[in-house]
Amino acid sequence: MSDRNQQFQPDQSDLLMELLAARRDVRGNLFLADELDQADIDQILKAALHAPSVGFSQPWEFVLVLDKVQRRQVADSFFAENQKALEQFRAGNYDAAKLEQYQALKLEGITESALNIAVFYNPKKGPVLGQTSMPDMGRYSVVCAVQNMWLMARSLNIGMGWVSILDPEKVKTIVNAPADRELIAYLCLGKVDQFYDQPELETLGWEARKATSQVVLSGHYPE
Amino acid sequence: MSDRNQQFQPDQSDLLMELLAARRDVRGNLFLADELDQADIDQILKAALHAPSVGFSQPWEFVLVLDKVQRRQVADSFFAENQKALEQFRAGNYDAAKLEQYQALKLEGITESALNIAVFYNPKKGPVLGQTSMPDMGRYSVVCAVQNMWLMARSLNIGMGWVSILDPEKVKTIVNAPADRELIAYLCLGKVDQFYDQPELETLGWEARKATSQVVLSGHYPE
């Protein structure tokens, strides 16, 4: 391994910015049928294992799901939860055009992608350094691992999508997870022949990109 | 902005792995007194704004804290919460040596760092696409932004530490945050003259690094 104390150069920082900006949430309609190379899967998992974790607790577990039956079961949970989501949007007074737009969106790639990875939080018994005042810190460590995976996948030109319209308990059952585990993310990974230029929901006008001035404050919120 | 659909090269993926592995949680004893360049702060915030967010909700807010009085108040919260943490470790049957080790750790850099950033979750009223089944997804989007900041800071050779031994409600009061906001992270950033070769808690033997085989499972958990 290279020297961890190394000084990175400005062009390396620029490259990171390009990578952050080029990362996309990839859905089923963009995945190719090709298998992933084992070396690439290993590199993506290695990226996860180098994420920060509160108190160096490394409270993550990654279940690689290839089986078609399991994936069909997960997809069934998606369809059921997405129907509930639609009802919530309807109850939330979204107009007919917005509801139609929602229904037209492809929001997962569970069966089309080469690989699914279910990412769990494995809570430690007893106190964890850094987690005593903010109990969600362990979950947040697992999320940092997911973001590392997303960036590594993108640098390998592999698409990744995070599917969150799922019943976490159903996914736990499908992969036989112990009762104390908690599903943080369900990921779909695969080769793609393109990445969108900007987030699809931005392109479609589902939400507008916020200006920096809307979300960066100096010192405190206004009185 | 460069072409988002660009193909990254293997050496760029290797560079990302180096960066992920070289990122450290930086504590107060390593920060230098130097100010940060505004261009670097802007780049770190830009990295945050390119994080993934559920339903493109961008539910993050960043409060830049420079004021010494505010920082002293935050540090006071750290000291109070750290005392409570020590009591939890004592109640958790940590032995005398481990308790002594805990007390010797420098766990924050609130006043020593050049800049603090309090990162909040700003929940949206009404349903959010992708968050209807997993309500924590908005919080997780904010965590992805924090990880992007961490990596960008490291690529600029700037140290960042995440302080979680704090009372989130006290921090909200100190920066006048509205009642509906939720503190996700309190970050300390500053120039450093070195990064540790490996996580300090690994070096000190507080926790051992887990093997890949302990946390990566194929298909499902064992019966």
Side-chain angles (χ1 to χ4, degrees):
Chain A
M1 182 59 68
S2 64
D3 178 13
R4 302 293 166 77
N5 197 29
Q6 76 183 93
Q7 295 294 300
F8 291 99
Q9 301 306 315
D11 63 323
Q12 297 174 324
S13 173
D14 292 345
L15 175 69
L16 176 65
M17 194 67 239
E18 280 180 37
L19 180 68
L20 299 181
R23 184 210 47 77
R24 287 289 160 274
D25 189 55
V26 175
R27 312 295 169 74
N29 45 334
L30 290 182
F31 287 118
L32 303 176
D34 314 42
E35 294 298 301
L36 292 175
D37 298 330
Q38 187 60 46
D40 288 345
I41 298 170
D42 291 346
Q43 190 75 344
I44 291 166
L45 291 169
K46 185 176 173 188
L49 302 187
H50 279 92
S53 68
V54 62
F56 199 51
S57 56
Q58 310 154 76
W60 37 58
E61 286 171 338
F62 308 89
V63 184
L64 279 54
V65 181
L66 285 160
D67 183 75
K68 300 279 184 209
V69 175
Q70 283 179 300
R71 295 221 237 164
R72 175 48 52 200
Q73 292 169 334
V74 174
D76 286 346
S77 177
F78 168 80
F79 292 120
E81 294 301 312
N82 202 36
Q83 194 55 43
K84 291 185 205 166
L86 187 63
E87 287 155 20
Q88 284 194 40
F89 283 105
R90 193 173 281 127
N93 291 319
Y94 277 68
D95 65 24
K98 199 89 174 170
L99 288 171
E100 195 174 327
Q101 188 181 27
Y102 185 87
Q103 288 175 281
L105 290 167
K106 173 75 176 166
L107 294 173
E108 49 76 45
I110 297 163
T111 58
E112 300 91 341
S113 56
L115 175 67
N116 292 181
I117 304 181
V119 186
F120 289 91
Y121 169 50
N122 176 12
K124 194 179 166 178
K125 280 119 198 113
V128 172
L129 189 156
Q131 194 169 321
T132 49
S133 298
M134 297 184 69
D136 283 336
M137 284 302 295
R139 295 178 184 88
Y140 295 168
S141 300
V142 181
V143 174
C144 288
V146 171
Q147 178 63 357
N148 273 12
M149 295 168 78
W150 222 333
L151 295 172
M152 182 54 71
R154 182 61 186 90
S155 82
L156 296 164
N157 306 302
I158 290 170
M160 184 177 117
W162 180 335
V163 184
S164 54
I165 306 175
L166 290 172
D167 178 344
E169 293 306 312
K170 288 232 161 68
V171 177
K172 280 178 66 175
T173 301
I174 293 164
V175 300
N176 195 38
D180 68 344
R181 302 305 200 276
E182 190 179 313
L183 182 74
I184 301 295
Y186 194 86
L187 309 175
C188 302
L189 295 106
K191 294 189 183 175
V192 293
D193 58 8
Q194 66 157 313
F195 289 89
Y196 287 144
D197 195 49
Q198 57 179 19
E200 189 179 12
L201 295 175
E202 182 179 11
T203 306
L204 296 174
W206 179 268
E207 291 281 352
R209 185 174 287 279
K210 293 182 180 177
T212 304
S213 59
Q214 286 178 273
V215 296
V216 176
L217 296 97
S218 183
H220 50 75
Y221 285 83
E223 300 299 323
Chain B
M1 183 57 69
S2 62
D3 178 13
R4 301 291 165 78
N5 197 29
Q6 76 183 95
Q7 295 294 300
F8 291 99
Q9 302 305 315
D11 63 323
Q12 297 174 323
S13 173
D14 291 345
L15 176 69
L16 177 65
M17 194 66 238
E18 281 181 35
L19 181 67
L20 299 180
R23 183 210 47 77
R24 287 286 160 276
D25 189 56
V26 175
R27 312 295 170 72
N29 44 334
L30 289 183
F31 287 118
L32 304 175
D34 314 42
E35 293 298 302
L36 292 175
D37 298 330
Q38 188 59 46
D40 288 345
I41 298 170
D42 291 345
Q43 190 75 344
I44 291 166
L45 291 168
K46 186 176 172 188
L49 302 186
H50 280 91
S53 67
V54 63
F56 200 51
S57 56
Q58 308 153 77
W60 37 58
E61 287 172 339
F62 308 89
V63 184
L64 278 54
V65 180
L66 286 159
D67 183 76
K68 301 278 183 208
V69 174
Q70 283 179 300
R71 295 222 237 164
R72 175 48 51 199
Q73 292 169 334
V74 175
D76 286 346
S77 178
F78 167 80
F79 291 120
E81 294 300 313
N82 202 36
Q83 194 55 42
K84 291 184 205 167
L86 186 63
E87 287 154 22
Q88 285 194 38
F89 283 105
R90 194 172 282 128
N93 291 320
Y94 279 67
D95 65 24
K98 199 89 174 171
L99 287 171
E100 195 176 327
Q101 188 181 27
Y102 185 87
Q103 287 176 282
L105 290 167
K106 172 74 176 168
L107 293 173
E108 48 76 44
I110 298 164
T111 57
E112 299 91 339
S113 57
L115 175 67
N116 293 182
I117 305 182
V119 185
F120 289 91
Y121 169 50
N122 175 13
K124 194 178 166 179
K125 280 117 198 115
V128 172
L129 188 156
Q131 195 169 323
T132 49
S133 298
M134 296 184 69
D136 282 337
M137 284 302 295
R139 295 178 184 88
Y140 295 168
S141 301
V142 181
V143 174
C144 287
V146 171
Q147 178 64 357
N148 274 12
M149 295 168 79
W150 223 332
L151 295 173
M152 182 55 70
R154 182 63 185 88
S155 82
L156 295 165
N157 307 301
I158 290 169
M160 185 176 117
W162 180 335
V163 184
S164 54
I165 306 174
L166 290 172
D167 178 345
E169 293 305 312
K170 288 235 160 69
V171 177
K172 281 179 67 175
T173 302
I174 292 165
V175 300
N176 196 36
D180 68 344
R181 301 307 199 274
E182 191 178 312
L183 183 75
I184 301 294
Y186 194 86
L187 309 174
C188 302
L189 296 107
K191 294 189 181 174
V192 293
D193 57 11
Q194 66 157 313
F195 289 89
Y196 287 145
D197 194 50
Q198 58 179 19
E200 190 179 11
L201 295 175
E202 183 179 11
T203 306
L204 295 174
W206 179 267
E207 292 281 353
R209 183 174 288 279
K210 293 182 181 176
T212 304
S213 59
Q214 286 178 274
V215 296
V216 176
L217 297 96
S218 182
H220 50 75
Y221 286 82
E223 300 297 323

